[in-house]
Amino acid sequence: MYSNNSQSVRDALCFFMDEEKGHEFGFVQFPQAMENLTKNDIYSNSFHVMKMVELPGFDGNGGSSYVGSGCFHRRETLRGKRYNKEHKADWKNWINKLEVRESASVLEETCNVLASCTYEENTQWGKEMGLKYGCRLDDIITGLAIQCRGWRSIYFNPKRSGFLGVAPTTLLESLIQQKGWCEGGFQIFASSYCPLVNGHKNIPLKLQLSYCPYMLWAANCLPTLYYVTVPSIFLLRDISLFPEISNPWALPFISVIFIHRAYSLGEFVLCGGTLLGWWNDQRMWLFKRMTSYFFAFFNVILKLLGFSQLTFTITTKVADDDVSQRYEQEVMEFSTSSPMFTILATLAMLNAFCFAGGMKRVIVDVQTLVSQPFILQILLCGLLVLINIPVYQGLFLRKDNGRMPTSVTYLSIMCALLVCTIALY
């Protein structure tokens, strides 16, 4: 991240120095914005809805969360002090009293000690002072701790972005980044720092609940994997899970699906996105929940059971010319063998096989299509096939270096055929 607006410091100070409410604010959070996004944001790194809708709503529920960068903190909050409504900073006298009391050599020696690796040993740093240690999302847990000590926070999104950063330019790096965020969030939820526990009577209930959707990102893998696999497999086995399309009970399913997607599309476009950008966002919504959230969920569970430790992986922001060119052309990058890609390819092939079986039923019995008890399952399976088109292209059609590795292609086909064979017998 780097500064993109020379007025950011002044903007933050305007909140801290407000005569009526300034003494209540612990930190001022600017949104994260990326400079290297493509027009349709193929990896959904723009966070349009989060910046324009979710975080302002978060702010309205009691204070924005701290998201790790683009944030100005009051010194007292990082020193672990609790908010005291009686305390108000006397900015004028404080500024007048500023003077250099120490020589450059003394300051240099002090800074060397401060920058050493042993400075924080046997102190409250990482516990009650500074950033919280021991969690993948040290920013979120630090901001929550500050709010639980009585401080308020402010979310400020100026017309000119205060700070800009660089987003991942490959699918794998984007998924790895999401995995780390999900692990940290679920780790917080499953610890004593859970907003519903640590925040009880310390912050408003609506603010506690605002944190929970982000803390439970990882758990979203369970219902998503169910809808991606079970309806398709049951379609192959001739087992209906939804009402017939002519049945009045099918109306709630249809209305919820279309109303929710229409609302999502309208919200995304109004926040500055494009139609194709929304479709890419839906694809990444699915990909993240099938891979990043899945691995994050079970990694945290294994850690809680004492079988493993969470590791921190830094995402690479520098790519070679070929990768950069494909990113600019909005072509998905599959060039690396990864368990995440194996899962994506296997589920894509599974849905393709099941959709073929469902369409065979429609072709054979086209006259009773409207009364088919499987029509909603066929539509769901067809939607999954449509959203996985880049995966099929990477598996079979592309010849560039960004295609799916041959080992992943063979393994995914065999796994999908194995699941279909077991389902049929």
Side-chain angles (χ1 to χ4, degrees), residues 333-336 393-394 398-406:
E333 188 74 27
F334 298 106
S335 56
T336 307
Q393 292 173 337
R398 289 171 55 182
K399 302 300 182 182
D400 56 69
N401 293 331
R403 66 185 181 275
M404 195 75 76
T406 305

Side-chain angles (χ1 to χ4, degrees), residues 86-142:
E86 302 298 329
H87 170 73
K88 287 190 177 182
D90 189 350
W91 290 96
K92 292 182 180 179
N93 290 333
W94 181 79
I95 293 173
N96 292 333
K97 290 180 180 179
L98 286 178
E99 58 183 21
V100 179
R101 299 178 180 178
E102 298 172 335
S103 65
S105 59
V106 174
L107 289 174
E108 183 180 359
E109 183 179 352
T110 303
C111 290
N112 288 333
V113 175
L114 181 63
S116 68
C117 296
T118 59
Y119 176 79
E120 301 167 12
E121 291 182 1
N122 301 317
T123 70
Q124 290 299 308
W125 285 102
K127 300 174 184 177
E128 298 300 326
M129 299 175 65
L131 297 182
K132 296 285 186 181
Y133 295 167
C135 179
R136 293 292 300 272
L137 285 187
D138 53 353
D139 49 1
I140 297 294
I141 199 172
T142 299

Side-chain angles (χ1 to χ4, degrees), residues 35-274:
E35 67 163 354
N36 62 329
L37 300 177
T38 57
K39 179 181 178 181
N40 298 303
D41 192 17
I42 188 171
Y43 298 128
S44 188
N45 290 315
S46 59
F47 310 120
H48 284 305
V49 175
M50 180 178 288
K51 289 190 300 184
M52 304 294 291
V53 178
E54 294 180 7
L55 288 179
F58 210 128
D59 188 53
N61 283 342
S64 170
S65 62
Y66 169 38
V67 297
S69 59
C71 186
F72 291 88
H73 287 272
R74 183 184 294 273
R75 182 186 296 270
E76 289 85 351
T77 63
L78 293 179
R79 290 173 60 189
K81 287 190 175 182
R82 297 190 66 85
Y83 166 71
N84 184 353
K85 63 181 179 180
E86 302 298 329
H87 170 73
K88 287 190 177 182
D90 189 350
W91 290 96
K92 292 182 180 179
N93 290 333
W94 181 79
I95 293 173
N96 292 333
K97 290 180 180 179
L98 286 178
E99 58 183 21
V100 179
R101 299 178 180 178
E102 298 172 335
S103 65
S105 59
V106 174
L107 289 174
E108 183 180 359
E109 183 179 352
T110 303
C111 290
N112 288 333
V113 175
L114 181 63
S116 68
C117 296
T118 59
Y119 176 79
E120 301 167 12
E121 291 182 1
N122 301 317
T123 70
Q124 290 299 308
W125 285 102
K127 300 174 184 177
E128 298 300 326
M129 299 175 65
L131 297 182
K132 296 285 186 181
Y133 295 167
C135 179
R136 293 292 300 272
L137 285 187
D138 53 353
D139 49 1
I140 297 294
I141 199 172
T142 299
L144 177 60
I146 291 172
Q147 292 170 337
C148 288
R149 290 196 290 264
W151 297 96
R152 291 182 58 194
S153 59
I154 286 290
Y155 177 75
F156 182 56
N157 187 11
K159 290 184 178 180
R160 180 184 176 92
S161 297
F163 300 88
L164 289 177
V166 180
T169 57
T170 69
L171 177 59
L172 183 60
E173 294 298 336
S174 183
L175 295 177
I176 290 174
Q177 185 181 69
Q178 288 287 331
K179 172 178 168 289
W181 292 344
C182 294
E183 284 178 348
F186 193 48
Q187 184 184 1
I188 295 172
F189 188 83
S191 71
S192 60
Y193 289 102
C194 174
L196 300 178
V197 177
N198 190 36
H200 182 60
K201 295 184 179 180
N202 291 321
I203 58 177
L205 177 60
K206 59 184 180 180
L207 183 56
Q208 298 174 38
L209 297 176
S210 296
Y211 273 100
C212 289
Y214 301 96
M215 304 294 100
L216 292 172
W217 269 356
N220 282 329
C221 70
L222 302 179
T224 303
L225 288 170
Y226 173 88
Y227 273 98
V228 168
T229 57
V230 174
S232 299
I233 293 173
F234 277 35
L235 174 63
L236 204 62
R237 287 183 55 85
D238 296 337
I239 300 175
S240 175
L241 296 178
F242 300 102
E244 294 181 2
I245 197 69
S246 58
N247 190 318
W249 285 106
L251 186 60
F253 291 93
I254 298 173
S255 60
V256 166
I257 291 171
F258 281 97
I259 291 174
H260 188 270
R261 290 302 92 198
Y263 178 85
S264 171
L265 173 59
E267 185 178 59
F268 191 88
V269 173
L270 288 175
C271 290
T274 64

Side-chain angles (χ1 to χ4, degrees), residues 338-339 342-343 345-346 405-417:
S338 168
T342 302
I343 291 176
T346 299
T406 305
S407 59
V408 174
T409 301
Y410 289 152
L411 181 59
S412 62
I413 293 175
M414 288 190 294
C415 290
L417 287 174

